[in-house]
């Protein structure tokens, strides 16, 4: 295929960011129009790529490779397989809905959308990357706009603290991984950063065991792995709505995906050695995240900690190193991305109108915004892993995979689902049902059309995958089987 | 005939220096006889430097093998040529930044001193003889002392000039003592022959190590490495801002040019000793520079400590003791220079309109001058090492060189320091983008020469950051030329 679809997906956002910066700041309508155009192009092409991926052939498709820094064997090299194509699609979906949700931003919308699109380019670039240097290059591009987005447009109370904490955590993680990646590059002796070639490098087991923790944990910081998850709830809560959606929905997957792509796939022996420890940490994520979520009174913190809990399931799926677990992890990354974007969109819609996120002060929102309530409940059912929704499709294989390696971990982690059900129901009853307090009643404005479209798209995807897992599961399974071939599991 | 051809090639090899000398005379003469055109002196100097740069690129590129010229005083090779290009670029931008500034913008002596100093740096990069080396270092430094103290009515500037002079004189004496011992031990002043003498003669490594340390004192002062960095914040703060920019970029790079050449050429016999010494210095330089930068309130002092830290990162490239290492050092300096010039350009413009160098006064800059705020963001993120900017690839190469040569711990020290750096660069951005101020409706003027300087630097930052292959190849060629 000669049409460079991935490059267009990657570079459309940043090109548009530059164009948006050149627009006059007093024309917000024009700025939003440009932003929506870019989002539609990126999302539309991701869908097109997803549909036209040939599953019968499998492997990496839409591959493009250009020499970039030949002296060090670095190239611009993109391609997608069953593992990362759903994530490209997820990014497209979230950038599209994120722009819709941010329609009402009126403080410097030009800079807001420009930074958001620089971030989007970074994310697309990492997901499609087949070159290790390029992966870091885009990874950092995805990290720094976050700081400005949170610190400028975030929640006034905690934004400075949360933005700095987030940025430093993620930067520490990525530079530690970077040293590991350099060690791989020089030890391999291949003189290339091409990850497909580095997979064949056959590093010694001692080297792999030494460097795996650096590389894997460095990226897993962004994936929210315990005990490095601390930045994430603070960051989610402080961020403006679209950024929380992007952040929890896409960026955490960025960390998890990079940990898989670089950590597990390039250092498989290290992965086998350290897998039991990741199982333990992932289990703590699931249980601890869910427990903390269930005692929060701030609506947004509940969702923030629920992300920590759900990302634990992704890590558990990775650590099984078998086909079921990895397939489940891949599906969970997509499903959780959409679900949590939906959650944060709902939180944002309610907070913009009620100006509080304290669950005890909220209530009765199903009467004033029924569609929002329905969307949230759909997300809640996904979160609980209810059959018929995408969460079940994702979590079931993870638990199958876990049972194959460590039944006890499967049992403990399953408790997380019970706790999840408890806090989701508490939020649903506290926010959407019951009676609205006197000071809120009558002051809640209508929901914008853009918001409704965004929620409908997100909820629709969750239901679609729940009812027809065949639209995604076989593709992820083909990607997961490629990983399994490398790590040599079942 | 043969001797004439040789003379011709020798003249060509110092063509940039000759042109610079002509430029000094032209600038002084214009200042004297063309009273009405004094405000164009900056443009004139810029044009002269740009012309020299073009002439150097076209005519004095080292053709084949490196050659010693003028009786072994100078070496015409790729590293010298690369550094000369960098100095000329930095000097040209410095002149643009000086145009229209009160007390310096229309002064012929000011521009003449900048050009003389550039001439000195150019010779420093090419020096292959201890005597030439010392003379060129002084030719560079003495005009800079004067320039740092150029604002005669400003106490801080006077303090800056005096402090710079005292530190410079002291360290240069120690270095000269080191040179004299080198001569005494080897009986040679030419670096390349001297190395032979040191290898053959049975000199205890301890003595030689001590001599190396004495010379490092002088170079350490030029590059502002810990523990010879104490002058940096005061000098930067007091000196006219374009001069602070010049000292922090071109002068630092010149220091590195001689440090690299002397260490690699004269002391290969004790490389384990001096790499260990420089690794310790690099660690201290990065860490102390970054830690002290954390608490600064004045943007020039912040940039001063940040420039100390950057010297530390660049030293990693030398410690790696490989071709990639030397190349990464050259590349790092190029990236650092274009970035730091952009940052200082913003400081010059802000001080010109708002009259302040306090970081807190940068509040509201993103509303006051969105374009300038964006340039500052690009500069800060490049200094912090964020892609797609020059600073990222530069750090990447330096750390890659360290890992390649087995200096894994040094790479870790480097990356952890990058995080401390990120913190204070981000803090500046926070002030610019988040905080509000009452002066938001007062615009900041960006005159033509400054706009050109900003455009040149930002374009360079982005190009070096994204299309880095040709620059890396160039740096590799320079690195090969040293050995």
């Amino acid at each position: 295929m000669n049409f460079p679809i991935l490059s267009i997906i990657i570079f459309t956002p940043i090109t548009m960011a530059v164009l948006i910066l050149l627009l006059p700041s007093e024309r917000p309508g024009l700025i939003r129009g440009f932003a929506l155009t870019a989002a539609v192009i990126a999302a539309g092409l991701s869908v097109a790529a997803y549909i036209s991926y040939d599953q019968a052939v499998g492997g990496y498709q839409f591959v493009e490779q250009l020499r970039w820094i030949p002296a060090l064997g670095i190239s611009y090299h993109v391609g997608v397989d069953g593992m990362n194509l759903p994530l490209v699609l997820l990014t497209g979906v979230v950038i599209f809905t994120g722009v819709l949700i941010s329609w009402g931003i009126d403080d410097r919308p030009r800079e807001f959308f420009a930074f958001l699109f620089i971030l989007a380019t970074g994310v697309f670039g990492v997901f499609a990357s087949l070159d290790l240097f390029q992966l870091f290059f885009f990874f950092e591009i995805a990290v720094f706009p976050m700081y400005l987005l949170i610190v400028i447009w975030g929640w006034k109370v905690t934004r400075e603290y949360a933005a700095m904490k987030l940025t430093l955590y993620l930067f520490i993680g990525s530079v530690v991984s970077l040293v590991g990646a350099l060690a791989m590059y020089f030890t391999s002796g291949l003189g290339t950063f091409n990850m497909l070639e580095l997979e064949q490098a056959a590093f010694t087991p001692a080297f792999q065991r030494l460097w795996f923790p650096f590389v894997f944990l460095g990226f897993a910081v962004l994936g929210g792995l315990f005990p490095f998850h601390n930045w994430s709830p603070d960051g989610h809560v402080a961020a403006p709505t679209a950024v929380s959606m992007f952040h929890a929905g896409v960026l955490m997957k960025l960390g998890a995906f990079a940990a898989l792509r670089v950590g597990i796939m390039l250092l498989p022996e290290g992965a086998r050695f350290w897998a039991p420890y990741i199982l333990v940490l992932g289990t703590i994520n699931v249980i601890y995240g869910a427990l903390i979520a269930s005692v929060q009174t701030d609506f947004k913190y509940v969702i923030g900690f629920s992300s920590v809990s759900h990302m634990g399931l992704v890590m558990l799926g990775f650590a099984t190193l078998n086909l079921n677990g990895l397939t489940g992890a891949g599906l969970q990354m997509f499903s959780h991305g959409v679900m949590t974007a939906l959650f944060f969109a709902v939180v944002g819609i309610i907070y913009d109108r009620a100006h509080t996120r304290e669950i005890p002060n909220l209530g009765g929102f199903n009467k004033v915004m029924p569609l929002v309530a329905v969307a949230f409940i759909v997300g809640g059912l996904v979160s609980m892993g209810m059959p018929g929704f995408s969460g079940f499709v994702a979590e079931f294989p993870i638990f199958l995979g876990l049972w194959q390696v460590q039944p006890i971990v499967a049992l403990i982690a399953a408790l997380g689902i019970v706790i999840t059900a408890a806090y989701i129901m508490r939020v649903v009853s506290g926010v959407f049902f019951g009676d609205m307090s006197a000071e809120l009643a009558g002051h809640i404005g209508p929901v914008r059309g853009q918001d409704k479209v965004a929620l409908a798209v997100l909820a629709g995807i969750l239901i679609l995958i729940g009812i027809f897992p065949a639209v995604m599961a076989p593709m992820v399974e083909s990607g997961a089987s490629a990983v399994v071939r490398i790590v040599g599991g079942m | 005939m043969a001797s004439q051809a040789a003379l011709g090639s020798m003249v060509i090899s110092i063509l940039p220096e000759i042109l610079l000398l002509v430029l000094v005379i032209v600038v002084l003469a214009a200042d004297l006889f063309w009273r009405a055109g004094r405000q164009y002196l900056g443009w004139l100097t810029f044009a002269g430097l740009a012309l020299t740069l073009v002439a150097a690129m076209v005519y004095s590129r080292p053709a084949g093998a490196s050659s010693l010229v003028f009786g072994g005083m100078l070496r015409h090779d790729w590293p010298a040529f690369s550094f000369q290009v960098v100095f000329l670029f930095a000097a040209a931008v410095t002149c643009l930044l000086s145009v229209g500034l009160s007390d310096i913008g229309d002064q012929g002596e000011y521009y003449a001193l900048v050009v003389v100093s550039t001439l000195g740096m150019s010779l420093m990069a090419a020096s292959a003889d201890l005597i030439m080396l010392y003379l060129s270092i002084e030719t560079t430094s003495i005009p800079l002392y004067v320039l740092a103290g150029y604002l005669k009515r400003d106490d801080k500037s006077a303090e800056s000039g005096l402090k710079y002079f005292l530190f410079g004189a002291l360290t240069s004496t120690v270095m000269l003592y080191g040179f004299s011992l080198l001569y005494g031990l080897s009986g040679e002043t030419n670096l390349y022959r001297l190395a032979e003498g040191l290898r053959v003669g049975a000199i205890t490594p301890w003595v030689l190590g001590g001599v190396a340390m004495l010379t490092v004192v002088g170079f350490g002062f030029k590059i502002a490495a810990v523990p010879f960095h104490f002058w940096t914040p005061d000098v930067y703060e007091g000196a006219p801002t374009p001069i602070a920019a010049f000292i922090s970029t071109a002068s630092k790079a010149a220091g590195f040019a001689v440090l690299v050449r002397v260490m690699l050429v004269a002391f290969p016999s004790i490389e384990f000793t001096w790499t260990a010494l420089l690794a310790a210095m690099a660690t201290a330089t990065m860490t102390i520079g970054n830690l002290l930068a954390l608490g600064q309130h004045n943007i020039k002092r912040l940039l001063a400590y940040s420039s100390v830290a950057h010297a530390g990162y660049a030293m990693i490239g030398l410690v790696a003791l490989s071709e990639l290492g030397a190349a990464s050092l050259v590349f790092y300096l190029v990236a650092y220079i274009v970035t730091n010039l952009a940052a200082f350009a913003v400081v010059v413009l802000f001080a010109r309109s708002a009259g302040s160098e306090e970081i807190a006064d940068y509040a509201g800059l993103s509303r006051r001058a969105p374009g300038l705020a964006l340039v500052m963001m690009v500069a800060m993120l490049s200094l912090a090492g964020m892609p797609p900017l020059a600073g990222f690839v530069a750090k990447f190469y330096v750390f890659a060189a360290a890992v390649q040569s087995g200096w894994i711990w040094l790479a870790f020290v480097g990356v952890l320091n990058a995080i401390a750096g990120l913190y204070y660069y981000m803090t500046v951005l926070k002030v610019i983008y988040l905080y509000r101020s009452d002066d938001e409706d007062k615009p900041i003027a960006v005159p033509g020469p400054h706009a050109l300087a900003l455009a040149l630097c930002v374009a360079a930052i982005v190009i070096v950051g994204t299309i880095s292959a040709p620059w890396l190849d160039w740096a590799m060629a320079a690195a090969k030329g040293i050995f």
Side-chain angles (χ1 to χ4, degrees):
Chain A
M1 183 158 182
N2 291 324
F3 182 64
I5 190 164
L6 290 175
S7 291
I8 296 178
I9 294 175
I10 293 170
F11 292 108
T12 297
I14 202 164
T15 313
M16 211 51 112
V18 174
L19 289 180
I20 288 174
L21 281 175
L22 296 174
L23 293 174
S25 59
E26 62 271 18
R27 299 278 301 278
L30 194 62
I31 290 165
R32 290 187 192 113
F34 267 71
L36 189 61
T37 312
V40 167
I41 295 174
L45 288 176
S46 339
V47 173
Y50 187 84
I51 293 171
S52 52
Y53 179 85
D54 190 346
Q55 288 192 39
V57 178
Y60 286 101
Q61 298 184 11
F62 310 116
V63 176
E64 297 165 42
Q65 190 169 14
L66 287 173
R67 277 146 46 97
W68 189 0
I69 308 174
L72 293 177
I74 292 168
S75 56
Y76 169 78
H77 193 183
V78 292
V80 282
D81 72 348
M83 209 66 187
N84 55 3
L85 186 51
L87 296 172
V88 171
L89 177 67
L90 169 70
T91 314
V93 169
V94 176
I95 187 77
F96 172 65
T97 51
V99 168
L100 288 177
I101 290 283
S102 313
W103 211 254
I105 294 259
D106 51 4
D107 175 24
R108 286 174 285 174
R110 181 176 60 167
E111 278 84 355
F112 179 83
F113 285 115
F115 294 155
L116 192 65
F117 282 129
I118 294 174
L119 175 66
T121 284
V123 174
F124 278 127
V126 173
F127 283 147
S129 197
L130 292 180
D131 184 277
L132 196 48
F133 173 84
Q134 185 199 344
L135 187 137
F136 279 100
F137 189 86
F138 282 106
F139 193 91
E140 306 285 359
I141 292 183
V143 170
F144 80 76
M146 210 68 192
Y147 175 79
L148 292 167
L149 285 165
I150 295 176
V151 90
I152 302 176
W153 291 277
W155 184 42
K156 291 196 171 55
V157 181
T158 57
R159 61 187 179 187
E160 291 183 36
Y161 163 76
M164 189 60 87
K165 180 168 169 178
L166 175 150
T167 315
L168 294 182
Y169 259 84
L170 301 191
F171 200 58
I172 292 178
S174 75
V175 292
V176 168
S177 305
L178 179 65
V179 178
L182 288 170
M184 280 188 228
Y185 170 77
F186 287 113
T187 310
S188 78
L190 298 173
T192 177
F193 278 93
N194 184 338
M195 289 197 276
L196 303 180
E197 289 177 34
L198 286 174
E199 277 167 12
Q200 317 295 329
F203 297 110
T204 62
F207 175 86
Q208 298 200 29
R209 286 176 195 161
L210 171 66
W211 284 102
F212 180 81
F214 290 100
V215 175
F216 184 86
L217 293 179
F219 284 122
V221 170
L222 181 52
L225 184 67
F226 180 88
F228 312 109
H229 67 288
N230 207 286
W231 58 275
S232 104
D234 285 324
H236 294 337
V237 169
T241 304
V243 178
S244 306
M245 290 167 64
F246 223 87
H247 196 242
V250 178
L251 273 175
M252 291 181 88
K253 279 76 202 169
L254 200 66
F257 171 74
L260 171 73
R261 191 72 192 78
V262 184
I264 295 177
M265 290 175 76
L266 298 187
L267 300 170
E269 173 56 35
R272 278 193 291 275
F273 181 79
W274 290 95
Y277 303 93
I278 302 170
L279 278 180
V280 172
L281 293 180
T283 312
I284 298 176
N285 258 60
V286 174
I287 302 293
Y288 171 82
L291 284 173
I292 303 279
S294 54
V295 296
Q296 296 295 319
T297 57
D298 184 318
F299 192 5
K300 211 169 180 180
Y301 266 108
V302 176
I303 308 301
F305 279 103
S306 91
S307 282
V308 173
S309 171
H310 283 102
M311 286 309 289
L313 285 172
V314 175
M315 294 298 172
L316 286 180
F318 286 168
T320 62
L321 299 177
N322 59 31
L323 186 60
N324 282 326
L326 285 162
T327 307
L331 287 165
Q332 173 77 354
M333 284 199 276
F334 184 85
S335 159
H336 173 255
V338 177
M339 172 195 92
T340 204
L342 173 71
F343 279 159
F344 279 113
V346 170
V347 173
I349 290 169
I350 290 179
Y351 178 71
D352 285 345
R353 285 157 186 79
H355 303 292
T356 177
R357 292 191 310 252
E358 285 299 310
I359 296 169
N361 301 342
L362 297 166
F365 273 82
N366 72 325
K367 297 191 192 77
V368 288
M369 38 181 84
L371 185 91
V372 175
V374 169
F376 188 86
I377 291 167
V378 168
L381 293 172
V382 171
S383 187
M384 292 180 227
M386 193 65 72
F389 296 90
S390 64
F392 177 77
V393 177
E395 288 174 19
F396 187 67
I398 294 181
F399 284 104
L400 270 182
L402 277 177
W403 193 269
Q404 286 169 300
V405 288
Q406 273 301 340
I408 185 79
V409 172
L411 284 173
I412 299 172
L415 280 177
I417 294 188
V418 180
I419 309 170
T420 304
Y423 70 75
I424 290 291
M425 292 207 266
R426 186 175 67 99
V427 170
V428 170
S429 73
V431 175
F432 293 99
F433 295 100
D435 292 320
M436 193 172 277
S437 60
E439 65 256 39
L440 288 182
H443 297 290
I444 302 298
V447 180
R448 275 190 305 265
Q450 289 90 349
D451 294 345
K452 287 181 183 163
V453 173
L455 292 181
V457 167
L458 294 169
I461 292 171
L462 295 175
I463 296 171
L464 178 71
I465 293 175
I467 299 176
F468 302 108
V471 298
M472 187 162 286
M475 180 181 286
V476 176
E477 195 172 331
S478 75
S481 62
V483 182
V484 170
R485 272 199 300 279
I486 289 170
V487 299
M490 285 174 278
Chain B
M1 284 302 284
S3 72
Q4 258 180 4
L7 185 67
S9 75
M10 269 160 74
V11 169
I12 286 289
S13 71
I14 58 159
L15 183 70
E17 287 85 350
I18 295 173
L19 290 176
L20 286 174
L21 195 61
V22 173
L23 182 61
V24 173
I25 297 164
V26 170
V27 170
L28 285 176
D31 183 43
L32 204 56
F33 300 113
W34 187 30
R35 312 296 291 186
R38 279 190 148 185
Q39 72 263 38
Y40 301 115
L41 280 174
W43 279 111
L44 177 72
T45 322
F46 168 74
L49 287 165
L51 205 67
T52 312
L53 183 59
V54 172
M57 299 276 259
V58 175
Y59 294 111
S60 45
R61 277 219 298 225
S66 317
S67 55
L68 287 172
V69 289
F70 290 102
M73 283 291 159
L74 295 174
R75 192 163 193 262
H76 185 51
D77 57 7
W78 271 99
F81 170 71
S82 311
F83 275 106
Q84 281 159 358
V85 169
V86 169
F87 303 146
L88 288 169
F89 178 83
V93 172
T94 306
C95 290
L96 282 182
L97 293 182
S98 312
V99 174
L101 294 187
S102 60
D103 292 337
I104 55 174
D106 55 353
Q107 307 268 312
E109 310 90 290
Y110 173 85
Y111 293 110
L113 285 169
V114 171
V115 179
V116 171
S117 181
T118 314
L119 170 62
M121 291 170 190
S122 191
L123 291 172
M124 265 168 91
S127 293
D129 192 282
L130 290 178
I131 294 171
M132 191 63 215
L133 191 59
Y134 185 74
L135 287 176
S136 60
I137 290 177
E138 292 304 300
T139 312
T140 307
S141 302
I142 293 170
L144 287 178
Y145 304 147
V146 180
L147 286 167
Y150 202 85
L151 303 172
K152 292 178 281 287
R153 292 183 203 86
D154 181 347
D155 287 349
K156 276 196 169 169
S157 179
E159 179 198 335
S160 155
L162 187 64
K163 199 168 248 174
Y164 194 26
F165 168 68
L166 289 176
F167 264 92
L170 180 69
T171 51
S172 126
T173 326
V174 176
M175 178 181 71
L176 193 58
Y177 183 51
F179 284 0
S180 69
L181 288 176
L182 270 182
Y183 172 69
L185 293 173
S186 68
E188 290 282 355
T189 57
N190 185 289
L191 283 177
Y192 290 82
R193 287 198 294 271
L194 173 157
E196 293 301 315
L198 293 182
R199 204 169 289 151
V200 178
I203 299 154
T204 29
W206 284 109
V207 173
L208 205 51
V211 174
M213 277 175 78
L214 290 177
T215 60
V216 164
V217 171
F219 308 146
F221 163 77
K222 292 292 305 169
I223 65 173
V226 172
F228 314 108
H229 69 290
F230 291 97
W231 56 277
T232 335
D234 293 337
V235 170
Y236 285 19
E237 190 189 359
T241 312
I243 293 307
F246 193 52
I247 295 176
S248 76
T249 54
S251 167
K252 189 185 286 271
F256 269 107
V258 291
L259 176 70
V260 171
R261 196 186 289 275
V262 172
M263 285 296 145
L264 291 178
V265 172
F267 298 108
S269 54
I270 51 158
E271 59 192 26
F272 291 107
T273 317
W274 67 256
T275 47
L277 172 77
L278 286 186
M281 259 173 89
T283 304
T285 305
M286 285 184 280
T287 313
I288 292 177
N290 278 321
L291 289 182
L292 291 177
L294 290 175
Q296 299 303 320
H297 301 295
N298 179 299
I299 187 82
K300 277 161 84 177
R301 292 183 79 87
L302 180 112
L303 287 172
Y305 283 115
S306 115
S307 89
V308 171
H310 282 281
Y313 300 121
M315 283 165 82
I316 296 178
L318 179 54
V319 171
L321 203 65
S322 62
E323 247 169 48
L324 179 62
S328 73
L329 187 154
V330 175
F331 191 95
Y332 196 94
L333 289 173
V334 170
Y336 162 78
I337 282 173
V338 293
T339 308
N340 227 33
L341 285 172
F344 270 105
V346 177
V347 175
V348 169
L349 284 168
F350 187 78
R352 201 170 161 272
S353 287
S356 168
E357 285 163 3
E358 292 299 307
I359 295 171
D361 291 332
Y362 280 71
L365 186 67
S366 75
R367 292 163 204 271
R368 208 171 166 180
L372 214 52
L374 207 62
V375 174
M376 196 60 158
M377 182 170 92
V378 168
M380 288 291 136
L381 291 176
S382 178
L383 285 175
M386 285 290 182
L389 308 170
F392 172 75
V393 265
K395 282 209 171 69
F396 180 82
Y397 295 149
V398 167
F399 297 147
V403 172
Q404 186 192 27
S405 304
W407 290 93
I408 306 247
W409 68 264
L410 196 57
F412 270 112
V413 170
V415 297
L416 294 177
N417 262 292
I419 291 155
L422 182 70
Y423 177 83
Y424 59 82
Y425 297 126
M426 286 282 192
T427 311
V428 175
L429 293 182
K430 181 171 78 179
V431 173
I432 290 176
Y433 273 92
L434 176 61
Y435 295 157
R436 307 293 300 253
S437 98
D438 299 332
D439 303 327
E440 277 167 18
D441 49 345
K442 293 181 196 152
I444 290 181
V446 182
H450 297 85
L452 178 60
L454 287 177
L456 280 177
C457 292
V458 170
I461 293 172
V462 174
I463 290 172
V464 172
T466 49
I467 314 169
S468 70
W471 314 100
L472 182 69
D473 291 342
W474 188 344
M476 286 288 201
K480 284 197 185 81
I482 294 173
F483 295 103

